[in-house]
Amino acid sequence: ALGGKWACTACIEGLAAVASAEGDAARAVRPWGSAAASRAALHAPLPPVDRPRRDAMLAELRRTLGDAAFEALWAEGQALTLEAAVEEAMA
């Protein structure tokens, strides 16, 4: 079960990265928030080698949306279950 949750988290991050790269800021933030919450719950931080790319994407999303909208979407994402985050990211 733990391996499945970790794999789902990695998939959500991938889908969030795609939405980020496509410039769909509103669609990207919620899965990033969900993945961050999942990694925290699993005690599995993002590997250091992956952090600069993720941090650059998040910074661009924050600039695009503004602080308030970014924080609201991030909080919504952190409240999603893994299943809901995958379903939403795939829609």
Side-chain angles (χ1 to χ4, degrees):
L2 185 59
K5 288 181 181 182
W6 182 88
C8 279
T9 300
C11 288
I12 292 167
E13 289 167 338
L15 293 166
V18 169
S20 297
E22 290 178 344
D24 194 348
R27 187 170 178 219
V29 176
R30 284 172 53 108
W32 278 121
S34 176
S38 178
R39 283 192 172 279
L42 294 169
H43 304 286
L46 190 67
V49 69
D50 295 328
R51 291 180 194 157
R53 181 172 169 248
R54 186 234 16 226
D55 292 348
M57 285 184 202
L58 293 177
E60 181 59 31
L61 293 169
R62 185 180 287 277
R63 276 191 295 278
T64 299
L65 294 168
D67 287 337
F70 179 93
E71 291 298 330
L73 290 166
W74 183 268
E76 290 171 12
Q78 289 193 307
L80 291 174
T81 65
L82 281 177
E83 294 79 9
V86 169
E87 184 176 315
E88 182 176 300
M90 300 273 302

